[in-house]
Amino acid sequence: MDSSGKDHLGASSSEPLTAIIIGNGPSGICLSYLLSGYTPYVKPGAVHPHPLLQRKLNEAPGVSILDQDLDYLSEGLEGRCQSPVPLLFDTLLRPDTDLGGDMESVLTWKRQTERVVPHVVLGRGLPGGAWHSIEGSMVTLSQGQWMGLPDLPVKDWMRKKRRGLRNSRATAGDIAHYYKDYVTKKGLGHNFVSGAVVTAVEWGTPESGGSEAQDPSPLFQVSGFLTTQGQSPQPFSLCARNVVLATGTSDSPARLDVPGEALPFVHHELSALEAATRAGTVTPASDPVLIVGAGLSAADAVLYARHYNVPVIHAFRRPVDDPGLVFNQLPKMLYPEYHKVHQMMREQSILSPSPYEGYLSLPEHRLLLFKEGCQALFRDPQGGQKVFGVSLVLVLIGSYPDLSFLPGEGADLTVDPSQPLNAKRNPIDVDPFTYQSTHQEGLYAVGPLAGDNFVRFVQGGALAVASSLLRKETRKPP
């Protein structure tokens, strides 16, 4: 991080920032790029394969995408995303990728300093967010080219690093390095503050009188502390006219809420298994590792354990042929390792003899409790109970965002305020063309918090926010 990033925290300027971005993953990085004067235009002579979109682009030659009507441009587009602006930005960046093509982006980027919007990006760790906490050798779910941010294709970056894509996909370690590198290469470092833990975001109605009377937007106060290795935490407080929530949803692992879940052998992150294998406390001769869950994180843990020949018991509540299982939604050619896990889940149930030594799956089993002495008690589909001795437990059943810094933990900002926030079923309710909260002026949400769950699509949310903030800036009284 550039030292000037910390200057934002140290300065008690009377002039508020235009925007504070909370979260430094792909959404926050992309938004910082767009707010730093980098402006997308259609390349002269570029022809988009979508005829209707091409006709609309021809109507405003030489006008930046940020200055165009995003609602109008995105109308009529279809693809792997329900959100219109992410679909638009994705098809401009990767015109024929869903057809298996590799056509170049129709966009070109110009740095225009008059468009710079003063902002700061606050993150707990290094730029890249949660990607730095994923085991480095894990292969990304999405194709490597879909993990890239504007104007720096992943494959070009990998080529310069003398690395290759595996089966068109990259490792999590490569992608974490790419995001950190992106911030440096694009000269964004001065906007980023690492080690920043936000503890409160507060806002109120502007007082009458003075210059704020001409602007009905509230002012936001963002408070927290800055952690630096070897030093005590330093408090900070910043003021801004807009706040963008870009924290993702991997802050708080979901729990089973069963007795014994707090025992020391029960964990909720794959890193616990990594640490145990490194320390030699879990080995091929150990009791099995129990992995609970039927999503991709659980599959990653199975693959990791199998790589080190650690025996595994894999328990999950659903039947193996449940169409809602994520494995049933992934093409086999692109994701052979996940389909291998699904095959193991199906063929190695407790009822059948083992074709996979050292792996046992327990479909439709419900965990009742954990006991001292590393034991797990299950109820099977017939209502009987079974006890297994284990060396370590990984409960990998999803995660939730930590919005404890918001009033009411952000519960009243969701689509259905009576239900908990959920990235897939109940995200923060935002305007689809600005990503501003429908409940609070000046508050924005991007990425999984707004229901966009893949890196290739979170960038459209950043485009919508940048367009909205730039319009606000031009309307701001002198």
Side-chain angles (χ1 to χ4, degrees):
M1 180 201 64
D2 197 302
S3 62
S4 54
K6 289 181 182 171
D7 294 345
H8 290 298
L9 304 188
S12 54
S13 168
S14 57
E15 177 63 23
L17 287 159
T18 300
I20 294 172
I21 302 164
I22 303 174
N24 63 359
S27 300
I29 295 171
C30 183
L31 181 53
S32 180
Y33 177 73
L34 293 166
L35 297 181
S36 297
Y38 290 97
T39 310
Y41 291 86
V42 175
K43 286 179 191 168
V47 178
H48 196 283
H50 192 291
L52 178 60
L53 178 57
Q54 178 60 34
R55 197 186 77 214
K56 292 177 182 177
L57 294 172
N58 285 341
E59 292 169 6
V63 179
S64 162
I65 299 297
L66 285 167
D67 296 331
Q68 296 194 43
D69 184 340
L70 300 179
D71 186 349
Y72 175 64
L73 285 181
S74 59
E75 189 180 4
L77 294 177
E78 294 178 353
R80 298 189 186 189
C81 176
Q82 300 302 311
S83 306
V85 181
L87 206 53
L88 168 67
F89 200 27
D90 183 64
T91 195
L92 292 171
L93 291 168
R94 291 170 278 268
D96 59 353
T97 190
D98 282 337
L99 301 174
D102 196 20
M103 181 178 171
E104 276 193 11
S105 169
V106 298
L107 297 180
T108 185
W109 294 85
K110 297 178 184 176
R111 179 91 201 282
Q112 297 175 317
T113 52
E114 69 275 13
R115 287 177 176 267
V116 172
V117 174
H119 67 281
V120 64
V121 185
L122 305 177
R124 288 172 178 255
L126 295 169
W131 284 93
H132 290 283
S133 63
I134 300 171
E135 201 280 318
S137 64
M138 290 293 175
V139 181
T140 61
L141 175 62
S142 295
Q143 293 187 45
Q145 62 182 356
W146 293 350
M147 308 302 295
L149 297 175
D151 203 31
L152 183 60
V154 167
K155 63 175 186 285
D156 293 354
W157 178 85
M158 297 274 278
R159 197 178 297 124
K160 285 179 181 170
K161 297 288 177 186
R162 291 185 169 79
R163 290 188 171 105
L165 293 172
R166 192 171 117 201
N167 195 22
S168 81
R169 291 151 65 205
T171 67
D174 282 334
I175 294 303
H177 187 185
Y178 165 85
Y179 291 141
K180 186 165 161 282
D181 223 25
Y182 186 92
V183 169
T184 305
K185 285 183 180 300
K186 298 299 183 184
L188 310 178
H190 62 285
N191 298 316
F192 281 72
V193 181
S194 297
V197 178
V198 174
T199 55
V201 176
E202 299 166 296
W203 59 87
T205 309
E207 297 174 13
S208 58
S211 62
E212 285 180 22
Q214 303 168 55
D215 183 359
S217 303
L219 278 181
F220 293 83
Q221 196 78 27
V222 177
S223 310
F225 56 89
L226 188 64
T227 58
T228 309
Q229 199 166 7
Q231 297 181 22
S232 56
Q234 299 294 314
F236 70 81
S237 185
L238 291 171
C239 203
R241 288 189 289 274
N242 302 276
V243 165
V244 184
L245 304 174
T247 55
T249 57
S250 57
D251 293 310
S252 304
R255 296 180 180 271
L256 292 165
D257 292 328
V258 298
E261 195 168 3
L263 287 168
F265 65 92
V266 182
H267 303 271
H268 296 82
E269 292 176 348
L270 176 58
S271 56
L273 178 58
E274 297 163 20
T277 51
R278 277 198 302 269
T281 53
V282 169
T283 70
S286 304
D287 282 335
V289 169
L290 171 61
I291 296 168
V292 182
L296 297 177
S297 297
D300 284 339
V302 170
L303 291 166
Y304 187 89
R306 297 285 290 170
H307 178 74
Y308 288 97
N309 295 315
V310 171
V312 171
I313 296 173
H314 185 192
F316 43 96
R317 294 182 181 182
R318 297 188 188 191
V320 287
D321 54 359
D322 187 323
L325 280 182
V326 68
F327 308 103
N328 293 317
Q329 301 160 29
L330 299 176
K332 285 187 180 179
M333 291 293 287
L334 269 182
Y335 306 102
E337 76 280 31
Y338 287 131
H339 280 279
K340 184 67 173 175
V341 172
H342 192 207
Q343 183 183 350
M344 290 163 62
M345 290 163 65
R346 182 184 292 112
E347 295 182 12
Q348 182 39 40
S349 78
I350 195 164
L351 305 172
S352 61
S354 170
Y356 301 106
E357 189 178 351
Y359 174 87
L360 175 69
S361 81
L362 303 176
E364 298 178 77
H365 277 61
R366 189 169 291 268
L367 217 155
L368 300 178
L369 57 88
F370 297 107
K371 296 180 180 180
E372 296 274 5
C374 295
Q375 291 189 318
L377 176 66
F378 287 92
R379 182 163 61 239
D380 66 20
Q382 290 73 41
Q385 294 190 356
K386 298 188 179 78
V387 177
F388 292 91
V390 298
S391 59
L392 186 88
V393 176
L394 293 180
V395 178
L396 300 171
I397 54 173
S399 59
Y400 297 102
D402 178 7
L403 297 180
S404 57
F405 53 82
L406 288 177
E409 300 194 358
D412 55 350
L413 300 173
T414 60
V415 173
D416 181 357
S418 68
Q419 298 296 317
L421 174 62
N422 183 292
K424 290 178 181 165
R425 292 181 290 278
N426 192 34
I428 290 178
D429 195 10
V430 296
D431 179 291
F433 301 105
T434 65
Y435 277 63
Q436 185 167 236
S437 164
T438 58
H439 300 285
Q440 178 57 55
E441 170 79 20
L443 187 66
Y444 295 79
V446 290
L449 289 175
D452 297 331
N453 289 294
F454 289 98
V455 171
R456 66 182 280 202
F457 295 124
V458 304
Q459 299 170 59
L463 180 78
V465 174
S467 176
S468 173
L469 293 177
L470 282 161
R471 287 171 201 270
K472 283 186 180 181
E473 285 292 276
T474 57
R475 290 200 305 264
K476 199 172 67 176

PDB file of all heavy atoms in Angstrom, residues 39-54:
ATOM      1  N   THR A  39     -11.329   5.639 -18.103  1.00  0.00           N
ATOM      2  CA  THR A  39     -12.650   5.814 -18.717  1.00  0.00           C
ATOM      3  C   THR A  39     -12.802   4.922 -19.941  1.00  0.00           C
ATOM      4  O   THR A  39     -11.957   4.940 -20.835  1.00  0.00           O
ATOM      5  CB  THR A  39     -12.825   7.297 -19.124  1.00  0.00           C
ATOM      6  OG1 THR A  39     -12.494   8.128 -17.998  1.00  0.00           O
ATOM      7  CG2 THR A  39     -14.255   7.573 -19.550  1.00  0.00           C
ATOM      8  N   PRO A  40     -13.886   4.116 -19.993  1.00  0.00           N
ATOM      9  CA  PRO A  40     -14.072   3.200 -21.121  1.00  0.00           C
ATOM     10  C   PRO A  40     -14.788   3.847 -22.308  1.00  0.00           C
ATOM     11  O   PRO A  40     -15.835   4.488 -22.155  1.00  0.00           O
ATOM     12  CB  PRO A  40     -14.941   2.093 -20.515  1.00  0.00           C
ATOM     13  CG  PRO A  40     -15.737   2.774 -19.440  1.00  0.00           C
ATOM     14  CD  PRO A  40     -14.898   3.915 -18.935  1.00  0.00           C
ATOM     15  N   TYR A  41     -14.218   3.677 -23.489  1.00  0.00           N
ATOM     16  CA  TYR A  41     -14.829   4.100 -24.747  1.00  0.00           C
ATOM     17  C   TYR A  41     -14.865   2.897 -25.687  1.00  0.00           C
ATOM     18  O   TYR A  41     -14.041   1.981 -25.566  1.00  0.00           O
ATOM     19  CB  TYR A  41     -14.006   5.214 -25.406  1.00  0.00           C
ATOM     20  CG  TYR A  41     -14.040   6.531 -24.680  1.00  0.00           C
ATOM     21  CD1 TYR A  41     -13.147   6.791 -23.630  1.00  0.00           C
ATOM     22  CD2 TYR A  41     -14.945   7.531 -25.040  1.00  0.00           C
ATOM     23  CE1 TYR A  41     -13.172   8.005 -22.956  1.00  0.00           C
ATOM     24  CE2 TYR A  41     -14.974   8.748 -24.373  1.00  0.00           C
ATOM     25  CZ  TYR A  41     -14.090   8.977 -23.326  1.00  0.00           C
ATOM     26  OH  TYR A  41     -14.131  10.172 -22.666  1.00  0.00           O
ATOM     27  N   VAL A  42     -15.776   2.923 -26.639  1.00  0.00           N
ATOM     28  CA  VAL A  42     -15.785   1.886 -27.670  1.00  0.00           C
ATOM     29  C   VAL A  42     -14.644   2.180 -28.637  1.00  0.00           C
ATOM     30  O   VAL A  42     -14.466   3.319 -29.093  1.00  0.00           O
ATOM     31  CB  VAL A  42     -17.135   1.842 -28.406  1.00  0.00           C
ATOM     32  CG1 VAL A  42     -17.091   0.838 -29.556  1.00  0.00           C
ATOM     33  CG2 VAL A  42     -18.254   1.480 -27.436  1.00  0.00           C
ATOM     34  N   LYS A  43     -13.852   1.160 -28.949  1.00  0.00           N
ATOM     35  CA  LYS A  43     -12.731   1.333 -29.887  1.00  0.00           C
ATOM     36  C   LYS A  43     -13.257   1.777 -31.248  1.00  0.00           C
ATOM     37  O   LYS A  43     -14.257   1.218 -31.736  1.00  0.00           O
ATOM     38  CB  LYS A  43     -12.006   0.000 -30.088  1.00  0.00           C
ATOM     39  CG  LYS A  43     -11.144  -0.466 -28.948  1.00  0.00           C
ATOM     40  CD  LYS A  43     -10.529  -1.815 -29.319  1.00  0.00           C
ATOM     41  CE  LYS A  43      -9.871  -2.450 -28.105  1.00  0.00           C
ATOM     42  NZ  LYS A  43      -9.537  -3.870 -28.382  1.00  0.00           N
ATOM     43  N   PRO A  44     -12.617   2.742 -31.859  1.00  0.00           N
ATOM     44  CA  PRO A  44     -13.023   3.128 -33.216  1.00  0.00           C
ATOM     45  C   PRO A  44     -12.957   1.920 -34.146  1.00  0.00           C
ATOM     46  O   PRO A  44     -11.957   1.204 -34.182  1.00  0.00           O
ATOM     47  CB  PRO A  44     -11.991   4.194 -33.603  1.00  0.00           C
ATOM     48  CG  PRO A  44     -11.436   4.700 -32.309  1.00  0.00           C
ATOM     49  CD  PRO A  44     -11.495   3.555 -31.353  1.00  0.00           C
ATOM     50  N   GLY A  45     -14.020   1.674 -34.877  1.00  0.00           N
ATOM     51  CA  GLY A  45     -14.046   0.574 -35.830  1.00  0.00           C
ATOM     52  C   GLY A  45     -14.402  -0.782 -35.238  1.00  0.00           C
ATOM     53  O   GLY A  45     -14.584  -1.752 -35.974  1.00  0.00           O
ATOM     54  N   ALA A  46     -14.507  -0.868 -33.882  1.00  0.00           N
ATOM     55  CA  ALA A  46     -14.853  -2.152 -33.263  1.00  0.00           C
ATOM     56  C   ALA A  46     -16.305  -2.499 -33.560  1.00  0.00           C
ATOM     57  O   ALA A  46     -17.175  -1.619 -33.564  1.00  0.00           O
ATOM     58  CB  ALA A  46     -14.628  -2.096 -31.759  1.00  0.00           C
ATOM     59  N   VAL A  47     -16.563  -3.759 -33.837  1.00  0.00           N
ATOM     60  CA  VAL A  47     -17.930  -4.210 -34.117  1.00  0.00           C
ATOM     61  C   VAL A  47     -18.289  -5.301 -33.110  1.00  0.00           C
ATOM     62  O   VAL A  47     -17.624  -6.341 -33.032  1.00  0.00           O
ATOM     63  CB  VAL A  47     -18.063  -4.767 -35.555  1.00  0.00           C
ATOM     64  CG1 VAL A  47     -19.477  -5.278 -35.795  1.00  0.00           C
ATOM     65  CG2 VAL A  47     -17.690  -3.688 -36.575  1.00  0.00           C
ATOM     66  N   HIS A  48     -19.336  -5.050 -32.331  1.00  0.00           N
ATOM     67  CA  HIS A  48     -19.779  -6.042 -31.354  1.00  0.00           C
ATOM     68  C   HIS A  48     -20.652  -7.081 -32.044  1.00  0.00           C
ATOM     69  O   HIS A  48     -21.491  -6.739 -32.888  1.00  0.00           O
ATOM     70  CB  HIS A  48     -20.556  -5.370 -30.217  1.00  0.00           C
ATOM     71  CG  HIS A  48     -20.698  -6.243 -29.017  1.00  0.00           C
ATOM     72  ND1 HIS A  48     -21.609  -7.277 -28.964  1.00  0.00           N
ATOM     73  CD2 HIS A  48     -20.023  -6.271 -27.839  1.00  0.00           C
ATOM     74  CE1 HIS A  48     -21.491  -7.898 -27.795  1.00  0.00           C
ATOM     75  NE2 HIS A  48     -20.537  -7.304 -27.091  1.00  0.00           N
ATOM     76  N   PRO A  49     -20.488  -8.373 -31.709  1.00  0.00           N
ATOM     77  CA  PRO A  49     -21.280  -9.412 -32.390  1.00  0.00           C
ATOM     78  C   PRO A  49     -22.779  -9.371 -32.088  1.00  0.00           C
ATOM     79  O   PRO A  49     -23.560 -10.004 -32.796  1.00  0.00           O
ATOM     80  CB  PRO A  49     -20.657 -10.726 -31.879  1.00  0.00           C
ATOM     81  CG  PRO A  49     -19.930 -10.362 -30.624  1.00  0.00           C
ATOM     82  CD  PRO A  49     -19.485  -8.953 -30.784  1.00  0.00           C
ATOM     83  N   HIS A  50     -23.182  -8.641 -31.041  1.00  0.00           N
ATOM     84  CA  HIS A  50     -24.614  -8.521 -30.740  1.00  0.00           C
ATOM     85  C   HIS A  50     -25.165  -7.347 -31.550  1.00  0.00           C
ATOM     86  O   HIS A  50     -24.865  -6.187 -31.262  1.00  0.00           O
ATOM     87  CB  HIS A  50     -24.805  -8.278 -29.237  1.00  0.00           C
ATOM     88  CG  HIS A  50     -26.215  -8.409 -28.767  1.00  0.00           C
ATOM     89  ND1 HIS A  50     -27.199  -7.507 -29.110  1.00  0.00           N
ATOM     90  CD2 HIS A  50     -26.824  -9.333 -27.970  1.00  0.00           C
ATOM     91  CE1 HIS A  50     -28.337  -7.864 -28.542  1.00  0.00           C
ATOM     92  NE2 HIS A  50     -28.140  -8.975 -27.841  1.00  0.00           N
ATOM     93  N   PRO A  51     -25.997  -7.602 -32.586  1.00  0.00           N
ATOM     94  CA  PRO A  51     -26.398  -6.533 -33.525  1.00  0.00           C
ATOM     95  C   PRO A  51     -27.141  -5.379 -32.855  1.00  0.00           C
ATOM     96  O   PRO A  51     -26.890  -4.217 -33.172  1.00  0.00           O
ATOM     97  CB  PRO A  51     -27.308  -7.248 -34.534  1.00  0.00           C
ATOM     98  CG  PRO A  51     -27.073  -8.708 -34.331  1.00  0.00           C
ATOM     99  CD  PRO A  51     -26.582  -8.903 -32.948  1.00  0.00           C
ATOM    100  N   LEU A  52     -28.051  -5.681 -31.917  1.00  0.00           N
ATOM    101  CA  LEU A  52     -28.827  -4.619 -31.270  1.00  0.00           C
ATOM    102  C   LEU A  52     -27.923  -3.728 -30.429  1.00  0.00           C
ATOM    103  O   LEU A  52     -28.020  -2.491 -30.479  1.00  0.00           O
ATOM    104  CB  LEU A  52     -29.939  -5.231 -30.402  1.00  0.00           C
ATOM    105  CG  LEU A  52     -30.803  -4.236 -29.615  1.00  0.00           C
ATOM    106  CD1 LEU A  52     -31.512  -3.266 -30.554  1.00  0.00           C
ATOM    107  CD2 LEU A  52     -31.831  -4.973 -28.739  1.00  0.00           C
ATOM    108  N   LEU A  53     -27.007  -4.346 -29.680  1.00  0.00           N
ATOM    109  CA  LEU A  53     -26.071  -3.564 -28.867  1.00  0.00           C
ATOM    110  C   LEU A  53     -25.172  -2.726 -29.766  1.00  0.00           C
ATOM    111  O   LEU A  53     -24.916  -1.551 -29.473  1.00  0.00           O
ATOM    112  CB  LEU A  53     -25.245  -4.490 -27.972  1.00  0.00           C
ATOM    113  CG  LEU A  53     -24.180  -3.809 -27.094  1.00  0.00           C
ATOM    114  CD1 LEU A  53     -24.800  -2.750 -26.188  1.00  0.00           C
ATOM    115  CD2 LEU A  53     -23.416  -4.841 -26.261  1.00  0.00           C
ATOM    116  N   GLN A  54     -24.703  -3.301 -30.881  1.00  0.00           N
ATOM    117  CA  GLN A  54     -23.844  -2.555 -31.796  1.00  0.00           C
ATOM    118  C   GLN A  54     -24.575  -1.331 -32.340  1.00  0.00           C
ATOM    119  O   GLN A  54     -23.994  -0.245 -32.438  1.00  0.00           O
ATOM    120  CB  GLN A  54     -23.386  -3.463 -32.947  1.00  0.00           C
ATOM    121  CG  GLN A  54     -22.523  -2.774 -33.992  1.00  0.00           C
ATOM    122  CD  GLN A  54     -21.243  -2.192 -33.420  1.00  0.00           C
ATOM    123  OE1 GLN A  54     -20.651  -2.750 -32.489  1.00  0.00           O
ATOM    124  NE2 GLN A  54     -20.810  -1.050 -33.951  1.00  0.00           N
TER     125      GLN A  54
END
